[in-house]
Amino acid sequence: MSSQLHPNVLWVQLAGLLLLLAPGANLARCPEQCVCDQIQLTVACVNKNLTEVPPAVDEITVKLDLRGNNIQELPTGAFKHTPYLTHLSLQRCNIRRVKEGAFRSLGRLVFLNLANNNIDILYQESFDGLSSLKQLLINNNRVEEIKPGAFSQLGFLNLLSLMHNQLVYIPNMAFQGLQNIKWLRLSHNSLNYLDIEAFAGLFTLTRLSLDHNELQFFPTETMTRLPQVTRLDLSYNPMTYLGEETISMAKLTHLFLDHMSLQDMANSAVSTSPSLVHLDLGHNQLRVIQPLSAGTPNLARLVLAGNPIYCNCYLRPLREWGLRSKVKLLGSCGGPAHFSEENLEAIHPQDLRCQSQDAMLKAEFEEANRARPPPTQEPENKVKCPANCVCEADTHHSSCENRAHTKVPRGFSPTTRLLDLRGNHFHYLPGNSFPGVAQVVSLHLQRCKIVEVEAGAFSGMKGLIYLYLSENDITSLSPDTFKGLPQLTYLHLEKNRFTAFPSGAFKLLPSLLALHLENNTIAKLEPDALTGAEGLRGLYLTGNAINQVSPRALQQASDLDTLHLGGNKLKVVPTQALSKAGNLRDLRLSGNPIRWVGPDAFGPLGSLKELYLDNMGLEKMSRGSLAGLTSGLRSLFLEGNQLEEVPNLHPLASLEVINLADNPLMCDCPLLPLRMWIEKVNLKVRATCANPPELKGRRVKDVHIFKACPGGESLPSTPTLGPKLSKTPKSNKPKPTHLNRRRQVRMPKVKPKARKSPTAKLTTNAETRRRA
Ligand SMILES: *[C@@H]1O[C@H](CO)[C@@H](O)[C@H](O)[C@H]1NC(C)=O
Ligand SMILES: *[C@@H]1O[C@H](CO)[C@@H](O)[C@H](O)[C@H]1NC(C)=O
């Protein structure tokens, strides 16, 4: 009873004391370094480096602010002279230890702040006497241990905050005595284990914050002992899985399980928490989620933001369940590409489809390769975008890939630079199909089942440089098809149904440099085929059915640099036609049924650097067949033929690579020129003897027979040990153009126009997509 004196009694005592001891003296006392307000009855001694609680604080003080001192240790009875305190602030006081009974006299204290000190242990009697305390803040200390009974006297406490401490483990009954606790904040500790009875007895607790800890499993049993908790925050714990009926909390309405590492959860994980309204699963690793099983009739929001949710047929049940159960799904798709960033709520369940196995794998691969935007990034400024498309403001890319559009969507942002419409069902492209997108640089129309392109379909696309019409069903093009494309440089028409070269269709394309017509069924190249495409540098006709090339077919191709005619039906080298292509550097005739190459078959083509004559069934090349190639030729591919002999290589002073693999070479004197040439260049040459039988399988370079041939005397007698051996390291050095290596198809050099930088980026994107 003595410590709980009635205030009136105390006031009487106090008055008597003052009258007795200090008649006429200053009524209130104020310590030297402090600021005292005698009306509010507050004393503030802030940032004064005090090493102890100032003893001279007026007894009637109700608020004492001692922030920023250097008190180190709070002794027993530290505040015995100020029994009327309701608020005590002790932040930043370097307090390491609170001794038993330090606050013993503070029966009226409502608010105690001990944040930002160095307290490591909460002792049994540390908070004794604080029988009125409502809020206790011990944030930002080093608390790692709570002794049993530390809070046993805090029967009125509503809020206990122990954020940013070093708690690893909460023992049974740690919070015993907190009979009125409402909110317990244990965020930002290192908790990895909670004893089953850790929160036992907290019958009034409604809110528990355990975010930013190290819990790897949901502590089901511990939580089940918290019957009144409505909000539970477990964000930022490294949990990976939630099993069946993991969360069994009768009153729980808000559950935060975001920013964890969840990869999967049972669909009944929350089904025994019947009051649940809001479930936050954001920023986990969830790709697919099943509809939650019954048991949460009040659930209104399921947050899935920041998960790599894969929006295909596997997600459809969830989306349908959301609609049926009126649960709002918050978040967006992480893939496949065409749904990327799409709002889950905006996707119709029917659009959640699965493609073929292959397409899915490919899509997943693409998705996995996509760099994810940093999570802090604000959503983009909304950019104009047609329905069922995805448009990115920062990259100026718009995509409606594989969306079964039957008409080219309208309403793209005028700043769009890459427009990806692959895999739709357009069938027919009418005139003026792309209004208002004059800045598009790259237009993708692959696999759109296009049969016909009307004149002027692309008009207005003044900036278009890349046009992909591959894998459609186009058979012909009218002369006006490409009207209004002054900058078009790369045109892809491969894998269509052309049976004739679409002559005349390119005359409105003054900038055209590369024309791809691979894998059509074009049968011949007629005279003047390239009329209007005078600037063309690359003509790609691999995989057609060309059996005839008119001598005047390449009449206008004076700039032609690359001509790919592999995989056609040519029986002879089209010598006359080639003679018009005076700047040809790369000529490919691989895989044509050419058996014989006659004298001067390549005329005077001094510019030619690479010649592909491989896999043709070639039986004979005249000795002078390469005579016209003078000194320019660097690489000659003759592998996979039937050659026993080779033509004279001597005029080819620059030849660096010759591939003669898989030819039945006859290692006898007629092959001496090859042997001499090998000696001269000292390169590794893939050439093996097939005959005579005793030399079969030996490398041409290693057989001795040539030394006996007229003119072969200068050859080393023991080739593998000869004086040239010293050069071996050089010969083993891999050359950039190594033998027998398939070379990448080179794009022709873009010389005339300096391209803007976005072009380069777009090319890369387009190329990457096509390769993937
Ligand atoms: C605080 O006290 C310590 C030692 O008592 C002293 O070294 C330091 O300078 C003091 N700081 C201030 C701001 O008075
Ligand atoms: C042409 O078809 C062949 C065989 O299907 C394929 O390997 C090649 O990549 C195709 N080329 C182009 C450019 O489509």
Side-chain angles (χ1 to χ4, degrees):
M1 188 63 202
S2 60
S3 67
Q4 296 281 313
L5 277 175
H6 192 276
N8 286 345
V9 177
L10 223 136
W11 271 114
V12 171
Q13 282 189 344
L14 183 70
L17 195 77
L18 290 172
L19 285 172
L20 189 71
L21 290 180
N26 200 351
L27 266 184
R29 301 193 296 168
C30 189
E32 218 183 318
Q33 297 100 326
C34 305
V35 177
C36 305
D37 179 331
Q38 268 130 32
I39 311 271
Q40 305 273 332
L41 304 177
T42 63
V43 174
C45 324
V46 179
N47 299 332
K48 290 296 187 291
N49 218 2
L50 301 174
T51 54
E52 55 172 11
V53 177
V57 175
D58 202 332
E59 191 179 27
I60 59 170
T61 303
V62 294
K63 292 189 178 173
L64 178 57
D65 187 350
L66 292 172
R67 284 174 294 164
N69 286 289
N70 188 23
I71 292 172
Q72 312 260 344
E73 187 171 290
L74 282 178
T76 306
F79 302 93
K80 61 174 186 268
H81 302 299
T82 49
Y84 301 106
L85 284 184
T86 58
H87 289 73
L88 176 55
S89 299
L90 287 164
Q91 300 99 301
R92 294 184 285 104
C93 283
N94 287 328
I95 299 170
R96 279 181 287 112
R97 176 147 191 205
V98 178
K99 286 210 147 186
E100 288 174 24
F103 305 105
R104 201 162 274 161
S105 52
L106 299 181
R108 290 153 190 272
L109 200 68
V110 171
F111 176 87
L112 172 56
N113 196 340
L114 284 163
N116 296 92
N117 282 291
N118 294 321
I119 301 168
D120 55 357
I121 299 174
L122 299 179
Y123 292 98
Q124 192 163 15
E125 311 263 296
S126 293
F127 302 107
D128 256 19
L130 296 171
S131 52
S132 303
L133 197 64
K134 289 218 157 89
Q135 301 197 356
L136 173 54
L137 311 182
I138 318 176
N139 303 325
N140 296 91
N141 276 270
R142 302 181 185 177
V143 178
E144 58 185 45
E145 191 176 352
I146 300 173
K147 296 279 191 195
F151 306 112
S152 63
Q153 308 285 311
L154 304 179
F156 279 98
L157 200 67
N158 291 159
L159 168 68
L160 172 57
S161 190
L162 280 160
M163 297 198 294
H164 290 281
N165 276 286
Q166 294 171 7
L167 291 166
V168 172
Y169 159 69
I170 305 285
N172 283 335
M173 313 288 178
F175 303 100
Q176 196 71 4
L178 300 177
Q179 295 166 43
N180 276 294
I181 189 83
K182 297 284 188 306
W183 188 5
L184 179 53
R185 307 187 76 174
L186 295 167
S187 318
H188 291 277
N189 276 277
S190 305
L191 292 171
N192 60 42
Y193 186 70
L194 308 173
D195 248 337
I196 287 176
E197 304 285 347
F199 302 120
L202 303 182
F203 300 114
T204 55
L205 191 69
T206 56
R207 186 164 182 189
L208 177 56
S209 305
L210 284 163
D211 53 288
H212 294 89
N213 276 290
E214 303 289 333
L215 295 166
Q216 296 184 32
F217 305 99
F218 186 92
T220 303
E221 294 220 55
T222 310
M223 294 299 155
T224 308
R225 286 161 170 75
L226 289 168
Q228 299 295 322
V229 166
T230 58
R231 289 179 84 97
L232 174 59
D233 190 346
L234 279 159
S235 318
Y236 293 95
N237 277 281
M239 292 182 206
T240 53
Y241 178 68
L242 296 177
E244 289 178 17
E245 300 183 5
T246 296
I247 298 125
S248 229
M249 301 174 76
K251 295 256 173 93
L252 193 65
T253 59
H254 289 71
L255 177 57
F256 300 89
L257 298 171
D258 54 292
H259 292 93
M260 307 214 299
S261 309
L262 288 178
Q263 293 170 5
D264 198 5
M265 68 180 276
N267 67 345
S268 63
V270 296
S271 65
T272 43
S273 296
S275 308
L276 207 57
V277 172
H278 180 101
L279 175 56
D280 191 342
L281 293 169
H283 300 275
N284 279 289
Q285 309 296 323
L286 298 165
R287 289 172 67 83
V288 178
I289 303 192
Q290 298 306 314
L292 303 191
S293 58
T296 51
N298 301 317
L299 193 64
R301 287 178 301 276
L302 177 56
V303 182
L304 295 168
N307 282 283
I309 300 283
Y310 207 75
C311 289
N312 63 7
C313 63
Y314 298 119
L315 197 72
R316 193 190 295 178
L318 182 78
R319 182 73 185 95
E320 284 169 346
W321 165 82
L323 287 170
R324 209 169 50 235
S325 318
K326 303 208 163 44
V327 177
K328 206 162 162 58
L329 303 179
L330 301 162
S332 53
C333 305
H338 64 274
F339 273 149
S340 171
E341 307 300 322
E342 187 92 348
N343 243 322
L344 293 174
E345 286 285 307
I347 297 179
H348 199 271
Q350 262 98 69
D351 292 336
L352 292 165
R353 272 181 255 160
C354 286
Q355 304 153 305
S356 67
Q357 188 77 7
D358 275 356
M360 270 172 65
L361 285 174
K362 188 185 142 206
E364 289 198 27
F365 176 77
E366 277 177 4
E367 194 246 353
N369 278 302
R370 238 153 24 91
R372 277 207 247 144
T376 50
Q377 213 175 316
E378 290 299 316
E380 305 296 342
N381 308 334
K382 260 295 177 223
V383 56
K384 232 177 119 193
C385 198
N388 210 8
C389 298
V390 178
C391 307
E392 288 172 29
D394 60 339
T395 57
H396 304 286
H397 290 188
S398 297
S399 169
C400 323
E401 188 193 349
N402 294 334
R403 302 284 183 103
H405 287 285
T406 53
K407 282 190 190 136
V408 176
R410 305 240 166 152
F412 293 101
S413 159
T415 60
T416 303
R417 295 213 209 108
L418 184 145
L419 185 51
D420 186 355
L421 296 167
R422 287 178 292 168
N424 286 289
H425 305 163
F426 299 141
H427 299 284
Y428 168 71
L429 283 186
N432 200 25
S433 282
F434 305 90
V437 285
Q439 291 186 35
V440 169
V441 173
S442 188
L443 174 60
H444 297 256
L445 288 164
Q446 297 99 316
R447 291 182 281 102
C448 285
K449 304 185 194 291
I450 298 169
V451 177
E452 200 186 331
V453 184
E454 201 176 78
F458 309 99
S459 65
M461 303 192 84
K462 292 197 281 285
L464 196 67
I465 291 174
Y466 305 89
L467 174 56
Y468 298 89
L469 282 164
S470 332
E471 297 182 66
N472 282 292
D473 299 319
I474 305 169
T475 52
S476 64
L477 295 168
S478 81
D480 293 339
T481 304
F482 300 119
K483 202 163 73 184
L485 296 173
Q487 296 216 61
L488 192 74
T489 310
Y490 302 98
L491 176 56
H492 288 261
L493 288 164
E494 59 266 33
K495 264 205 172 164
N496 273 280
R497 293 177 188 261
F498 292 99
T499 53
F501 190 86
S503 312
F506 313 110
K507 66 176 198 295
L508 295 173
L509 296 176
S511 301
L512 192 65
L513 290 185
L515 176 55
H516 288 266
L517 278 161
E518 295 98 325
N519 293 339
N520 281 282
T521 47
I522 297 167
K524 54 183 160 184
L525 291 187
E526 318 241 24
D528 305 315
L530 297 177
T531 307
E534 277 82 6
L536 200 67
R537 285 163 186 266
L539 178 55
Y540 303 88
L541 287 162
T542 309
N544 276 277
I546 299 169
N547 55 43
Q548 196 188 327
V549 179
S550 153
R552 287 173 40 225
L554 303 178
Q555 192 94 342
Q556 287 80 11
S558 55
D559 284 349
L560 203 63
D561 168 293
T562 304
L563 177 59
H564 290 185
L565 284 167
N568 278 287
K569 301 200 165 139
L570 293 170
K571 294 203 168 89
V572 293
V573 176
T575 308
Q576 279 186 280
L578 292 175
S579 69
K580 307 294 194 309
N583 283 303
L584 207 58
R585 294 165 57 93
D586 176 355
L587 175 61
R588 304 194 184 193
L589 292 165
S590 322
N592 280 283
I594 299 173
R595 304 273 174 260
W596 179 66
V597 178
D600 261 327
F602 301 96
L605 265 183
S607 58
L608 204 65
K609 298 278 185 281
E610 303 189 22
L611 178 57
Y612 288 76
L613 297 170
D614 54 293
N615 299 298
M616 303 202 306
L618 190 57
E619 289 159 11
K620 177 124 181 84
M621 292 181 80
S622 300
R623 200 177 144 71
S625 56
L626 303 178
L629 299 179
T630 61
S631 56
L633 200 69
R634 296 220 192 94
S635 310
L636 177 59
F637 299 91
L638 288 165
E639 67 271 25
N641 283 303
Q642 296 301 319
L643 295 172
E644 295 187 356
E645 294 171 22
V646 298
N648 187 7
L649 301 174
H650 272 290
L652 309 176
S654 306
L655 196 65
E656 292 168 353
V657 171
I658 181 168
N659 191 345
L660 282 159
D662 302 316
N663 277 286
L665 296 178
M666 166 62 94
C667 285
D668 206 343
C669 291
L671 210 61
L672 178 67
L674 175 66
R675 178 67 191 85
M676 295 293 282
W677 180 82
I678 290 172
E679 196 61 24
K680 189 177 96 193
V681 299
N682 197 37
L683 290 174
K684 213 166 153 188
V685 173
R686 288 187 54 140
T688 313
C689 306
N691 278 301
E694 65 272 23
L695 295 180
K696 190 174 160 107
R698 304 272 305 272
R699 295 191 303 163
V700 172
K701 188 176 176 173
D702 295 344
V703 299
H704 302 258
I705 190 164
F706 300 108
K707 193 157 169 64
C709 298
E713 301 82 0
S714 62
L715 287 167
S717 47
T718 49
T720 48
L721 297 169
K724 298 277 180 179
L725 192 65
S726 58
K727 282 193 185 168
T728 309
K730 184 190 163 214
S731 67
N732 285 340
K733 218 189 293 173
K735 286 267 167 181
T737 51
H738 209 305
L739 303 179
N740 202 28
R741 204 185 67 187
R742 288 265 163 228
R743 314 186 105 214
Q744 299 291 313
V745 177
R746 283 186 305 125
M747 272 305 207
K749 318 259 175 310
V750 184
K751 196 167 53 184
K753 297 169 191 73
R755 301 292 182 208
K756 290 171 229 99
S757 55
T759 311
K761 188 186 171 204
L762 289 165
T763 328
T764 319
N765 283 333
E767 291 294 318
T768 314
R769 280 162 184 269
R770 287 192 308 136
R771 258 183 262 130

